[in-house]
Amino acid sequence: MKTDYTMISIRKASIEDINKLTDLFDLYRIFYHQPSDILAVKKFLQQRMEREESVIFTAEQEEKLVGFIQLYPIFSSVSLQRTWLLNDLYVHASTRKNGVGAQLLEAARQHGLQTGAKWLLLQTGNDNFTAQSVYEKNGWKKITDYFYELPLMDV
């Protein structure tokens, strides 16, 4: 059964989201064959938020988090500009194929534009064809077998 993705709200995560986000992030790690570790995940996310070391956007449906995207700031020495590394993107299995990933990618793009970033960069598995398809449908360009880039500025 498809979910009406128009009922999905995308917003920047806050420390008040930590418990819901922890559960979802733990599922993300399990997807990548890591053992469940709720306490370590909560500590990791809490540190990123408190130290303002990353920006996380969440997808919420009926007060339940169903997806997130996490960006880390990086800089291009050559262009002398900020860029963002899209390090994590996860959509709960029950909500996949409903446009949630595209909405999260758009939130990341908007954040990049609002912060004057030169581009967004991400790395994905060479065999992660589903994710690659989503990235390419949303304007990302493959620059190597593993890396994709979304240019935000011409110069």
Side-chain angles (χ1 to χ4, degrees):
M1 179 172 105
K2 285 209 169 236
T3 303
D4 181 2
Y5 71 88
T6 58
M7 295 173 37
I8 302 289
S9 65
I10 306 294
R11 62 179 173 75
K12 188 174 176 183
S14 69
I15 201 71
E16 288 79 27
D17 296 311
I18 198 75
N19 289 330
K20 290 180 185 179
L21 189 56
T22 295
D23 293 339
L24 196 59
F25 202 88
D26 195 53
L27 290 174
Y28 166 71
R29 292 183 69 252
I30 292 168
F31 178 82
Y32 282 105
H33 312 291
Q34 299 300 308
S36 176
D37 192 338
I38 294 290
L39 294 177
V41 166
K42 184 174 185 175
K43 181 179 177 182
F44 177 82
L45 291 171
Q46 197 161 0
Q47 287 176 342
R48 300 296 73 73
M49 288 181 172
E50 289 173 351
R51 297 175 185 171
E52 298 181 355
E53 294 175 334
S54 74
V55 174
I56 302 171
F57 289 93
T58 60
E60 188 172 25
Q61 182 179 41
E62 298 174 1
E63 298 184 26
K64 179 181 175 187
L65 294 188
V66 295
F68 69 87
I69 196 166
Q70 183 166 215
L71 304 163
Y72 289 99
I74 57 176
F75 297 88
S76 169
S77 301
V78 173
S79 68
L80 304 175
Q81 290 184 269
R82 169 189 294 275
T83 65
W84 289 95
L85 174 64
L86 189 167
N87 202 67
D88 308 296
L89 171 60
Y90 182 74
V91 176
H92 192 277
S94 67
T95 330
R96 290 185 191 141
K97 298 187 186 224
N98 291 317
V100 176
Q103 288 181 291
L104 287 165
L105 287 169
E106 178 58 19
R109 188 181 80 79
Q110 288 297 322
H111 181 74
L113 290 168
Q114 290 167 1
T115 58
K118 174 102 173 144
W119 64 72
L120 304 180
L121 181 71
L122 68 82
Q123 179 180 5
T124 189
N126 197 31
D127 61 349
N128 192 347
F129 302 115
T130 301
Q132 291 174 27
S133 174
V134 171
Y135 301 139
E136 290 169 10
K137 285 179 185 172
N138 286 278
W140 290 74
K141 306 293 182 218
K142 187 180 249 188
I143 55 176
T144 70
D145 284 347
Y146 300 99
F147 287 95
Y148 280 78
E149 176 183 275
L150 182 67
L152 299 175
M153 297 182 174
D154 292 334
V155 179

